[in-house]
Amino acid sequence: MSELFEVPSGVTSRSITFENPTGAPGQGGSASSPLGAGRKGSPARMIPPGATVDIADIAGPGVIRHIWVATYNVADVLRGLTVRAYWEGQTHPSIEAPLGDFFGFAHGQSTAYASAIHSVGEKGAFNIWLPMPFHRHARISITNELEIPALFFYQIDYTLGDSLKPDVGRLHALFRRENPTTLGRDFELLPTRRGKGRFLGAVIGVRPHEPSWWGEGEAKFYLDGDVKLPTIVGTGAEDYVGLGWCVQRTPYPYHGASLVSKSPEANMAGPVSMYRWHMMDPIYWHESIRVVIQQIGVVITPQTAPRSFEGYLDCLRERQDDWSCCTFWYESAPSEPLPPYPDMAVRLADLELEKHLRGLPLQSEFTTQDTL
């Protein structure tokens, strides 16, 4: 990023919305409304069921600097809409994730918070601030897999003419969910990637399936040929996100938790959404990377209450819970395809969904020009 007081030579600022879908200079707000030309003529659209809509199609070089979106703030939509990004003309996406997870929270449950990468409003408005460079071409799409149309607002702010190195990293993001995880097998935040890159971090969701503490599993980074043992190892799940003594709702710029809830069942922890960003403590790889986190918890009863730290370790147990992640990293293009993307049934299973999506406006409530 250039100094705030500098104006880089040859670099121009652009913005894409439904009012100016090509980002062309001097064309913002050209759509007409009943108030006249340029008077809020096309602020949002309905994305029909089953439709895929390109929200950006940009010739480079350039850098996407910020994306803002707003839609229905319900889990069905936030896990039912999928964001995909394609860099440099690749036919497979480098970003593929549910809208909500990509914008900073798990389980389709948003809470107002801000980190160095995301800022989330109270009522379904979301921002991401990661730079997304590209040399030749950038394309971003939204797919609606729901049975209803989804109201969608957005703005993409970017620059053109940026001077980029040939092997600049392109932003990648993937979504994974295991519900439940496999006993004794570590949950993969990032399956093996080859080449070189920089691991940025992840938004991690946990829905415990048991009332006991779930977060003693260690995060492990297998770098540049590590097989049996990793190079970087943490001390526990809540420790990995910079917290301790379980998880508290404490959103900080580079680490923390935005959601820590209780389940209706007595003594049962509810969904947790937490995150960790390696911006100040970079994690690079030059040949390969694989990132996992163990599924280990603690079972303590009045009869087995430990009297020492060693006794606490005796209470460790492998366990199975519902884990998800949206993981972010940079690597150059062309890049290998992402792992298979979970279908909507997997993404939505066991979440707090809107029955019949009552109260959401249907397509008939909007004019035809508002329908994509």
Side-chain angles (χ1 to χ4, degrees):
M1 182 171 63
S2 64
E3 296 287 356
L4 294 179
F5 49 78
E6 292 180 351
V7 179
S9 177
V11 178
T12 58
S13 299
R14 296 286 186 268
S15 184
I16 289 175
T17 67
F18 285 128
E19 301 269 13
N20 184 9
T22 67
Q27 297 299 310
S30 58
S32 297
S33 77
L35 297 178
R39 309 296 292 177
K40 205 175 179 70
S42 185
R45 300 285 178 89
M46 302 298 297
I47 301 180
T52 295
V53 175
D54 285 349
I55 60 171
D57 192 335
I58 310 168
V63 180
I64 293 172
R65 306 285 180 169
H66 163 244
I67 303 175
W68 165 84
V69 304
T71 185
Y72 305 133
N73 193 18
V74 294
D76 313 58
V77 172
L78 299 174
R79 276 272 173 92
L81 297 184
T82 294
V83 180
R84 292 183 175 90
Y86 304 79
W87 310 122
E88 318 302 2
Q90 282 192 169
T91 57
H92 57 267
S94 295
I95 294 171
E96 188 171 40
L99 186 78
D101 298 79
F102 180 73
F103 279 93
F105 52 90
H107 319 300
Q109 290 186 243
S110 71
T111 55
Y113 88 99
S115 73
I117 286 177
H118 297 105
S119 49
V120 177
E122 292 184 359
K123 293 187 176 181
F126 318 117
N127 300 269
I128 185 168
W129 303 93
L130 278 174
M132 308 178 197
F134 55 96
H135 276 290
R136 294 185 294 105
H137 189 252
R139 180 167 70 90
I140 302 176
S141 69
I142 302 291
T143 298
N144 178 14
E145 295 183 48
L146 300 168
E147 296 180 355
I148 65 158
L151 181 63
F152 191 76
F153 299 78
Y154 83 103
Q155 180 167 332
I156 298 176
D157 301 308
Y158 62 102
T159 52
L160 292 176
D162 301 83
S163 179
L164 303 172
K165 294 181 179 180
D167 61 346
V168 65
R170 279 64 160 196
L171 184 65
H172 287 64
L174 65 77
F175 173 78
R176 300 195 68 253
R177 186 184 187 192
E178 293 183 14
N179 179 28
T181 52
T182 301
L183 194 67
R185 187 178 73 189
D186 300 344
F187 178 71
E188 287 187 312
L189 298 175
L190 181 60
T192 300
R193 304 293 294 182
R194 304 192 184 279
K196 68 176 182 178
R198 176 175 180 173
F199 183 83
L200 287 180
V203 174
I204 301 170
V206 183
R207 292 177 57 255
H209 285 182
E210 305 172 20
S212 54
W213 169 235
W214 50 266
E216 289 300 323
E218 298 174 341
K220 297 178 180 290
F221 291 77
Y222 294 84
L223 304 176
D224 297 332
D226 292 343
V227 177
K228 186 175 182 180
L229 295 175
T231 293
I232 299 174
V233 180
T235 61
E238 86 274 41
D239 310 326
Y240 174 60
V241 298
L243 303 177
W245 313 113
C246 301
V247 179
Q248 309 84 39
R249 189 185 187 278
T250 46
Y252 298 115
Y254 305 113
H255 69 99
S258 63
L259 174 69
V260 179
S261 57
K262 296 286 186 182
S263 177
E265 292 87 2
N267 300 318
M268 185 74 170
V272 169
S273 182
M274 56 190 187
Y275 58 92
R276 175 71 157 88
W277 304 120
H278 296 272
M279 298 172 76
M280 307 303 289
D281 55 334
I283 295 180
Y284 304 119
W285 78 89
H286 298 273
E287 298 174 12
S288 63
I289 187 173
R290 178 174 176 257
V291 184
V292 304
I293 191 164
Q294 297 168 324
Q295 310 301 291
I296 296 176
V298 173
V299 177
I300 298 176
T301 67
Q303 294 74 31
T304 64
R307 297 178 179 270
S308 65
F309 179 67
E310 289 75 13
Y312 178 78
L313 296 179
D314 290 338
C315 296
L316 296 177
R317 298 289 185 273
E318 301 279 358
R319 57 182 288 155
Q320 295 174 275
D321 296 295
D322 174 7
W323 280 68
S324 65
C325 66
C326 188
T327 301
F328 297 78
W329 72 98
Y330 286 109
E331 67 175 285
S332 59
S335 60
E336 297 177 351
L338 300 176
Y341 183 60
D343 63 28
M344 193 169 71
V346 172
R347 302 197 307 267
L348 294 181
D350 302 327
L351 301 186
E352 295 182 12
L353 304 179
E354 289 288 311
K355 224 171 187 179
H356 310 304
L357 295 174
R358 287 177 302 208
L360 300 186
L362 296 178
Q363 184 172 340
S364 60
E365 298 182 34
F366 291 79
T367 64
T368 54
Q369 81 169 36
D370 291 325
T371 303
L372 287 169

